[in-house]
Every structure is written in C-alpha cells, then in structure tokens.
C-alpha cells in the first residue's frame, strides 16, 4: 500500500464509522457498539502504527512515536473500559470513577511526543533563544487562562458545582475538561513552532488529532455536568478521528536530513495567536453582563492573571523589536563599511596595478624597433584593453561605494548622480556640512535607486530631487513625471531601500498613482549613532 493513500483510507474509515453510528439506520445499542468499536480500533491502529514505524527510525523520529504509541495505548485501555460500561452497564452515561483517571495518560504522553518532535529543529531557532522561549511560554499560559475561563463558564464550573459520588470521582469528572485544556495548549504550541520546524506536517497532523480528542472530551464533561443519560454518536467523532490521525502522522514520510528554510515573511498567525482566546473571553464577559449573569470570582481572578501575563508578553515583544531594530542598524553599518573597504581596495590596489601595467607596456612599445609594426600594433591593443579594464574597475568601485560620498559628503555625491543620469535632474539640496555617515549612505542609495527606476521603468523625462535638514530630521524627496504604478511590495530594490531606511529608524513612503508619476520620500532621524 502506498503511503500517499493512507490519509484517504483513514478519512474514509472515520467517515464510515461516524456516519453509520449516527445515521439512525441502527438501533441505539448497535449505534453505540459501532462507535465504540471504531474508537478502540482507531486507538489500536494508532498504537501499532507508532510502535512499528518507531522500530525503523532513530533519534527524535523514533522517540516521538514511542511516546505517542504509549499515549494511544493507555487511552485505548481507558476508552475500552468506558465503552464497556456504556454498552453493558445499567444505562446512561457511566458515573466517573478513579479508574477513569487513566484518560490523562493521553495528555501526558502526547505532550512528551510533541515536545520531542518540536525540539527536532536548528539550534539557532527562535524557540531555543531565551526571549523566544519566554514569549512561547507566555502564549501558552495566556491561552490556558483564557480557555480556562471559557471552559469554566460553559462546562467546568457546572461540573465542579455538581460534584460526584466520591471525592476522587469528583476530581476525575473535572479531569476531562482539564485534559481538554492541556491538549489545546499542545495544539497551540504546535502552531507556534511548526512554521520553522523540520517535521511541520507531522506536528500539524498530531495537533489536529489532539484537538479532535479535546473536542469530544469537552462534550463528555458538559453532558456529565448536565446529567445527560446518553452521548450522541456524532459527539464521539473526535474519539475516532484523533487516534486515526496519529496513524497518519506515524506513516507520514520525513526527510532524514532536514533542510532548514528561512522564512522572511511575518508570521502574523503566531503574533496574534494569544489574542484570539482573550478576545473570546471578553465577548463572554459582555454576554454575561448583557444577560445579567453574575461573573464568578474564579473567572475574575483568572482573567486578571491573564491580563497581567499579556502585559508582560507585550513588554518582552517590545524589547525583542528594539533589539531587532538595533541589530538591523548594525548589519547595515557593517555592510557599508565592508563596501567602503572593497572600494578602497579596488581603487588603491587593482586599479593602480592595472594603470602601472599599462604604463609599462607603453614604455615597452616605445622601445620596439620601427620595422616591427605588427608587434607595436598588438601592444597598442593590449594597452587599450587595459585602459578599458581600468574604466570598468572604476565603475565597479563607484557602484560598490562612491568615493565622492566618503570624501565630500552628500551634496557632491548627489551632484555626481545627477550629472550621470540619463534624464534631466533638478537638484535642490539644503544641507549644511556633513551628516551621520549611515544617513548619507542610505540617502545616496535611495536617490540612486529612484533615478534608475525613473529611467528603466517610469519613462520619465524629468526628475526633481530635494534634500532638506530640518532640526533633527533629514527629509529626502524624489519626484518624477513618469507613468507611475510603482509597487514597493513587488520590487526588490524598493524593498531593500525600505529595510535600509527603517534600520536607521527612518520611514520610506512611495506614492505612485498610474499616469501621475512617482513620489518617493524618505525621512531620517539625525540624532542616531
């Protein structure tokens, strides 16, 4: 059987069990029997799939399968006992007993499996850095707190107030929604780390399976709190689908040597992740106030703690952002210094050496006897080639880093750009003296890129460049009369300029309506060092 067919087979099997048990074609006892058989069979398949494939794996791929196999095995034992009591008991949902505490095995061992699998990632990943670990931990705690309030208001509070036949049975009764919270946090952590994890597909599949089990667990807790006598077969769908998805995850192939990919895009889902359940909690409070329902003291305490953790999380994120901005500025400065050294090496080393060789050949050409005209002609060709190479090296060094910018500052450097431009440039520079070197370099490249775009893409006939120093800010404006339509999100040149400007604490705006030219404006703070 091909591994690509496994998800389809599992999906069809789950759909068959759930569909048959909830179709109404069977009497209630047989519907319950089909559902129970599907749950136990799915758990057995998950256990065997994990343990059998673990024998052919090593490292993290072996250990997460062993942990997950133990989780599904323990859950299979507990679920078999639960289904037996439903089928052959006195009727109604079984009363929670200490034996049902084994259901928590799934949460404990599944957590271990997720941690092992998610830890199989590069050492430089964000999760391994202290700040990234703190943010991830706070995200998990915030989600736990918010979901706890939601669960308390809908199911857990009723279970606690209803109690149970024995004290231990009482704690077992609330273990279902508590396990639900734990499993949901596992899913949240999966989402938080899967964007850069090597085993992303396996993590997502496991997370989906655990969420399915969590859903049905929540239904069980709610029905117990309401004193229901039976559980609809459709509500057991999560108990069938959860272990079945463990089968799919265990049989999903992975790369033995993962190739870690850099993702430059912002992970908005991860950034906004903890705010979604908090928003849900806020909506719950509004609904309770609108209905006149008194807010439980437990809810108030937990929400206060959640808000505190949300503030701490925001502070840590702001510190991370500040460190990132400083790091970007250092990278830009280091790159500019490297470009300047390269330009100096080209000018003082390679270029001067080529000029010296050309002079030596000229001298040798003068010493050639007049009758050797062919040799004199060949030496002339060599000298001409060296002169052209010198011009090429000069152009390369000017592109790497303009020497006139280092020696004279922004005003003469912009004059040079305007003089060499293929379209007429009106230059208006109101800057006295030298500005901070990183700002001068960034402003130079902004103008250079804007002039290049005006010639290559905008079909402009005139460009206006204005530079003004106002207090602690330097404003640079480049306006052309071209066709417009520039999109800063699609052009790599404009994206690079935006990164360079923002690294210095500045802002870059582009206004380019179709048919009305392009206006590019950059603002730099002058008090940065």
């Amino acid at each position: 059987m091909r591994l690509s067919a496994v998800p389809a087979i599992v999906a069809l099997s789950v759909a068959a069990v759930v569909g048959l048990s909830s179709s109404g074609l069977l009497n209630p006892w047989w519907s319950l029997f089909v559902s129970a058989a599907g749950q136990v069979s799915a758990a057995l398949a998950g256990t065997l799939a994990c343990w059998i494939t673990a024998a052919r794996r090593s490292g993290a791929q072996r250990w997460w399968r062993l942990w997950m196999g133990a989780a599904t095995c323990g859950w299979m034992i507990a679920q078999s006992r639960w289904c037996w009591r439903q089928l052959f008991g006195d009727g109604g949902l079984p009363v929670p007993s200490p034996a049902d505490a084994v259901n928590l095995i799934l949460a404990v061992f599944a957590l271990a499996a997720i941690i092992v699998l998610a830890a199989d990632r590069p050492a430089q990943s964000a999760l391994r850095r202290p700040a990234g670990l703190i943010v991830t931990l706070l995200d998990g705690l915030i989600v736990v707190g918010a979901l706890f309030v939601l669960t308390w208001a809908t199911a857990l509070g009723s279970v606690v107030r209803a109690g149970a036949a024995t004290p231990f049975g009482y704690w077992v009764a609330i273990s279902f929604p508590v396990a639900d919270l734990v499993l949901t946090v596992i899913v949240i952590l999966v989402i938080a780390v899967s964007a850069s994890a090597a085993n992303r597909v396996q993590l997502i599949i496991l997370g989906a399976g655990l969420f399915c089990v969590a859903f049905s667990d929540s239904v069980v807790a709610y029905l117990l709190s309401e004193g229901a006598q039976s559980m609809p077969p459709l509500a057991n769908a999560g108990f069938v689908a959860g272990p079945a998805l463990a089968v799919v995850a265990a049989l999903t192939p992975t790369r033995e040597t993962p190739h870690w990919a850099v993702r430059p895009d912002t992970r908005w889902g991860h950034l906004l992740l903890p705010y979604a359940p908090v928003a849900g909690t806020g909506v719950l409070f509004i609904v309770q106030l609108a209905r006149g329902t008194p807010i439980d003291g437990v809810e108030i305490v937990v929400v206060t703690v959640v808000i505190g953790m949300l503030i701490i999380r925001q502070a840590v994120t702001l510190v991370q952002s500040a460190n990132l901005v400083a790091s970007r500025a250092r990278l830009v400065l280091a790159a500019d210094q490297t470009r300047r050294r390269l330009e100096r090496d080209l000018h003082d080393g390679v270029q001067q050496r080529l000029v010296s060789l050309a002079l030596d050949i000229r001298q040798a050409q003068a010493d050639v006897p007049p009758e050797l005209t062919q040799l004199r002609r060949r030496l002339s060709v060599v000298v001409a080639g060296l002169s052209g190479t010198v011009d090429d090296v000069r152009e390369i060094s000017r592109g790497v880093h303009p020497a006139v910018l280092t020696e004279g500052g922004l005003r003469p450097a912009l004059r040079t750009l305007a003089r060499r431009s293929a379209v007429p440039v009106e230059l208006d520079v109101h800057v006295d003296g030298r500005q901070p070197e990183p700002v001068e370099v960034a402003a130079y490249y902004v103008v250079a890129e804007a002039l290049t775009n005006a010639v290559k893409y905008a079909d402009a006939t005139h460009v206006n460049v204005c530079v003004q120093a106002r207090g602690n800010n330097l404003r640079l404006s480049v306006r052309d009369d071209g066709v417009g339509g520039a999109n800063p999100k699609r052009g790599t040149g404009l994206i690079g300029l935006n990164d360079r400007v923002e690294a210095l604490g500045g802002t870059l705006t582009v206004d380019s309506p179709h048919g009305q030219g392009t206006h590019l404006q950059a603002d730099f703070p002058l008090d940065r060092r």
Side-chain angles (χ1 to χ4, degrees):
M1 180 180 62
R2 299 181 58 181
L3 293 180
S4 58
V6 171
I9 295 175
V10 170
L12 290 175
S13 302
V14 172
V17 171
V18 176
L20 181 60
S21 61
S22 58
S23 64
L25 298 176
L26 305 176
N27 63 49
W29 190 91
W30 280 106
S31 295
L32 185 59
F33 177 82
V34 171
S35 177
Q39 297 173 46
V40 176
S41 299
L44 178 61
T47 302
L48 294 177
C50 289
W51 284 349
I52 292 175
T53 55
R56 300 193 299 267
R57 298 296 193 279
S58 61
Q61 285 293 323
R62 172 186 175 86
W63 281 104
W64 85 256
R65 286 176 167 86
L66 292 176
W67 282 115
M68 197 65 201
T72 53
C73 181
W75 187 83
M76 176 184 65
I77 297 173
Q79 204 66 10
S80 298
R81 184 177 182 277
W82 177 268
C83 292
W84 180 272
R85 291 159 63 192
Q86 282 187 289
L87 289 170
F88 304 105
D90 297 331
L93 287 177
V95 178
S97 67
D100 293 315
V102 74
N103 276 292
L104 295 179
I105 290 179
L106 176 64
V108 175
F109 286 171
L111 177 60
I114 291 292
I115 292 175
V116 170
L117 187 56
D120 187 20
R121 48 194 296 124
Q124 67 271 23
S125 66
L127 191 61
R128 298 246 178 130
R129 295 193 295 265
L133 182 60
I134 291 175
V135 171
T136 302
L137 179 61
L138 286 173
D139 286 348
L141 293 176
I142 291 170
V143 172
V144 168
L147 292 179
F148 178 85
V149 173
L150 294 173
T151 308
W152 181 273
T154 56
L156 185 58
S158 300
V159 175
V160 171
R161 286 186 288 269
T166 64
F168 204 99
Y170 159 77
W171 288 108
V172 172
I174 68 173
S175 71
F176 293 114
V178 169
D180 172 45
L181 288 178
V182 174
L183 293 176
T184 305
V185 172
I186 294 174
V187 176
I188 297 301
L189 292 178
V190 167
I191 297 173
V193 302
S194 63
S196 59
N199 310 308
R200 180 167 57 98
V201 175
Q202 290 178 322
L203 284 168
I204 293 177
I205 294 174
L206 284 178
L210 294 173
F211 183 82
C212 291
V213 175
F215 172 78
S216 291
D217 263 341
S218 299
V219 174
V220 170
Y222 179 76
L223 293 176
L224 286 173
S225 66
E226 294 294 323
Q229 296 300 309
S230 63
M231 185 171 179
L234 186 60
N236 288 321
F239 293 149
V240 181
L245 286 173
V247 176
V248 178
L251 297 178
T252 298
T254 56
R255 296 185 298 267
E256 292 297 329
T257 304
H259 300 279
W260 308 107
V262 177
R263 293 175 174 264
D265 299 332
T266 304
R267 295 162 57 189
W268 293 107
H270 183 200
L271 293 176
L272 301 178
L273 187 62
Y275 297 98
V278 173
T281 304
V283 172
L284 174 65
F285 272 28
I286 294 175
V287 172
Q288 287 181 322
L289 291 175
R291 292 181 175 180
T293 304
I295 299 178
D296 195 295
V298 175
E299 299 177 38
I300 296 176
V301 172
V302 176
V303 167
T304 303
V305 174
V306 168
I307 293 176
M309 289 189 295
L310 201 61
I311 295 174
I312 296 175
R313 192 249 193 196
Q314 189 67 22
V316 174
T317 303
L318 290 175
V319 172
Q320 283 185 298
S321 300
N323 292 335
L324 179 60
V325 171
S327 176
R328 291 174 63 185
R330 289 193 297 269
L331 288 175
V332 169
L333 183 59
D336 290 339
Q337 291 174 347
T338 301
R339 292 163 69 100
R340 189 185 307 109
R341 285 195 299 268
L342 181 57
E343 183 274 332
R344 189 181 301 114
D345 292 341
L346 288 173
H347 181 273
D348 299 341
V350 177
Q351 185 175 338
Q352 295 303 320
R353 180 60 177 162
L354 291 174
V355 171
S356 177
L357 286 175
L359 293 176
D360 291 342
I361 294 176
R362 285 288 188 188
Q363 184 63 41
Q365 183 183 15
D367 295 338
V368 173
E371 61 272 14
L372 300 178
T373 56
Q374 185 176 1
L375 178 58
R376 294 172 64 90
R377 190 179 302 110
R378 294 180 63 181
L379 288 176
S380 296
V381 172
V382 173
V383 171
L386 285 175
S387 299
T389 304
V390 169
D391 293 338
D392 292 340
V393 172
R394 185 180 295 112
E395 288 297 322
I396 292 174
S397 64
R398 185 182 293 117
V400 170
H401 186 86
V404 65
L405 181 64
T406 303
E407 298 169 359
L410 190 58
R411 187 190 299 270
L414 295 183
R415 287 176 179 171
T416 301
L417 281 177
R419 185 170 57 253
R420 298 175 58 209
S421 174
V423 297
V425 178
E426 180 182 347
L427 194 61
D428 187 14
V429 181
H430 298 279
V431 176
D432 297 326
R434 299 296 299 267
Q435 305 303 319
E437 182 181 357
V439 173
E440 287 188 339
V441 174
Y444 175 88
Y445 283 115
V446 168
V447 175
E449 179 69 19
L451 293 179
T452 300
N453 291 342
V455 175
K456 293 178 62 178
Y457 307 113
D459 294 331
T461 60
H462 182 268
V463 179
N464 178 271
V465 178
C466 179
V467 184
Q468 291 182 326
R470 297 179 177 179
N472 292 328
N473 291 281
L474 178 74
R475 170 163 292 182
L476 169 66
S477 174
V478 182
R479 188 187 302 270
D480 65 52
D481 60 352
V483 298
N487 188 346
K489 295 183 179 180
R490 290 188 300 179
T492 56
L494 291 177
I495 292 176
L497 289 181
N498 185 70
D499 292 341
R500 176 183 283 271
V501 172
E502 288 186 350
L504 300 177
T507 58
L508 179 70
T509 57
V510 179
D511 183 22
S512 184
H514 286 280
Q516 301 181 31
T518 299
H519 179 211
L520 187 149
Q521 179 175 300
D523 292 282
F524 300 92
L526 297 180
D527 56 345
R528 296 180 63 88
R529 295 294 185 266

